[in-house]
Amino acid sequence: MCIHCNYKELLSTAGLDPTDNRIRVLEVVGNNSFPLSAKDIFNTLQRSSNINRVTVYRILDLLVSHGVVDRISTGGRAFYYGLAPNAHHRAHPHFYCTKCGQMDCLSPESLTVDMASLLKTFPGRIEKVEVRVDGICKNCGSTP
Ligand SMILES: [Zn+2]
Ligand SMILES: [Zn+2]
């Protein structure tokens, strides 16, 4: 969730026309406190107005390819969408519950990647770092 983000500005900065539908999709992703599936995003948009499912999926792909939105992997087939890091929104790890499939945002400080030492030893170019912690969430019970 980003309370300081200007979605119109984020789109323009990424070189995208800030169309109404793009802004609406980005608002749903950015205003939510945890990552959502494409289906969740579509359902949320449907509640307020009529939007085509294919349109929503296309916009999500576009936002991902322009680095505005991150597609976060669950390790399985499902993907979730969250706001990509930007000036107002710091990169942070995610927690994925393997029982109920809920994904949560963790605080940026909870787990950090030592990029400096990684860059020292890694010969290629790093474009994105995704940190995901898997386990069982509080609601599902921490003991099996
Ligand atoms: Zn759970
Ligand atoms: Zn997040």
Side-chain angles (χ1 to χ4, degrees), residues 1 33-35 72 82-83 89-90 92-94 103-106:
M1 185 165 56
S33 57
F34 53 88
I72 305 157
L83 209 57
H89 184 68
R90 288 174 64 192
H92 55 267
H94 290 101
M103 193 176 268
D104 280 310
C105 297
L106 302 177

Side-chain angles (χ1 to χ4, degrees), residues 71-96:
R71 185 183 276 126
I72 305 157
S73 112
T74 60
R77 276 195 212 167
F79 286 100
Y80 288 79
Y81 295 86
L83 209 57
N86 60 55
H88 301 292
H89 184 68
R90 288 174 64 192
H92 55 267
H94 290 101
F95 176 84
Y96 178 65

Side-chain angles (χ1 to χ4, degrees), residues 97 99-102 136-140:
C97 176
K99 204 164 174 186
C100 66
Q102 170 79 25
I136 307 290
C137 78
K138 204 170 60 197
N139 293 339
C140 293

Side-chain angles (χ1 to χ4, degrees), residues 36-43 56-57 60 79-81:
L36 294 166
S37 69
K39 202 172 151 228
D40 292 335
I41 295 164
F42 169 66
N43 288 339
V56 174
Y57 283 50
L60 281 172
F79 286 100
Y80 288 79
Y81 295 86

